[in-house]
Amino acid sequence: MRFSDIIGNRTVAEAMVSMADSGRVAHAVLLYENEGCGALPLALAYLQYLNCEHRSGGDSCGQCPSCRQMEKLIHPDVHFVFPVNKGPKTTDDKPTSESYVKYWRELALADPYFSEADLQKAIGIESKNGLIAVAEAKSIINKLSLAPVYDGYKAVIFYLPEKMNQETANRLLKMVEEPPQKTLFLFITHAPEKVLQTIFSRCQNIRVMPLTKEEQQLVKARRPVVEDDDANQFMELFFDLMNAVTSRDLMGALECGESIAALDSREKQKAFCNFAADCIRKIFMLQQNLQQIADISEEEFAFYADMAAKCPKGFCVKTIANIEKVVSMIDRNVSSKILFCDLVNRMFMNI
Ligand SMILES: [Zn+2]
């Protein structure tokens, strides 16, 4: 991945280039993105640039041996850590990212803007929660203790450190604090508030900005499979739910809650929650007269304007907080039927 392949986020790319050029390379960086905004491509382009033998014009060459291996995600000094669990695609009893790295590569090569749900699907653990367990820490410490194959930087791209438990963090902490020479940790998070403080406080933070509508279209156009089905289904559910809630139709609203709870995996239920929270933010933006940054398409504008007029002050903020609670409870295996009926009820009471 070269910086020129990145969609959007020029400022972040430029900051990374100047960090590399200056030689003042932070050994632990935390990239915070909203899902799908390109933190992984940025991390890959950054490492490729750092290790490139013929950098020029603020980008890697794409041709040298290091670049070629980075392009295939098989650079021997670059490792990947991501949340895993037991599943049909590995026989390992205590699986680590290594157990699934083949599927990770296939996914990231096909679409580096993949979502957490895409990853779960790719490694065959859709119905489980991915975790970064202590076996992972041991594996990483072993890998980083080996001498590098090339003369450049060794690195770990750590996808979703918020899925790491305390024990794993404790094991890794020393290495993150005092890494071996020319060793980098690049953490990619969607929820910085959930990253353990001990790790968070040792990182240089970089905010990967949300993509514009046009940039999102570019990302979509590059995707191998079009995923409009989910978005359409989610929009319909959200539309029905908000109409039921604002017209004080409790039965109708509860039926929507049941339909959401019936989405066929926890990841999909969480994806709906994120989608709904984004939609409610749009209503909030309109209520704040911030239409220019609300990112609402022409065909959906009438719906959002109607909702902005009907939802009382405070509704959006409370509902987003309630949706976030639901997401964390889904992770704790609470019955989704109860969660979504409760959510709908609260929306109903707050309207
Ligand atoms: Zn190169």
Side-chain angles (χ1 to χ4, degrees), residues 49-62:
Y49 185 68
L50 273 172
N51 281 338
C52 175
E53 293 161 23
H54 308 291
R55 293 179 199 171
S56 71
D59 215 337
S60 51
C61 74

Side-chain angles (χ1 to χ4, degrees), residues 86-95 99-100:
K86 281 195 221 178
K89 291 193 175 179
T90 179
T91 51
D92 292 351
D93 194 35
K94 288 184 181 168
S99 318
Y100 292 109

Side-chain angles (χ1 to χ4, degrees), residues 66-87:
S66 167
C67 278
R68 283 193 200 186
Q69 289 185 309
M70 276 303 297
E71 298 272 0
K72 293 185 198 155
L73 307 180
I74 54 169
H75 194 291
D77 297 326
V78 174
H79 309 286
F80 303 102
V81 172
F82 46 90
V84 299
N85 207 320
K86 281 195 221 178

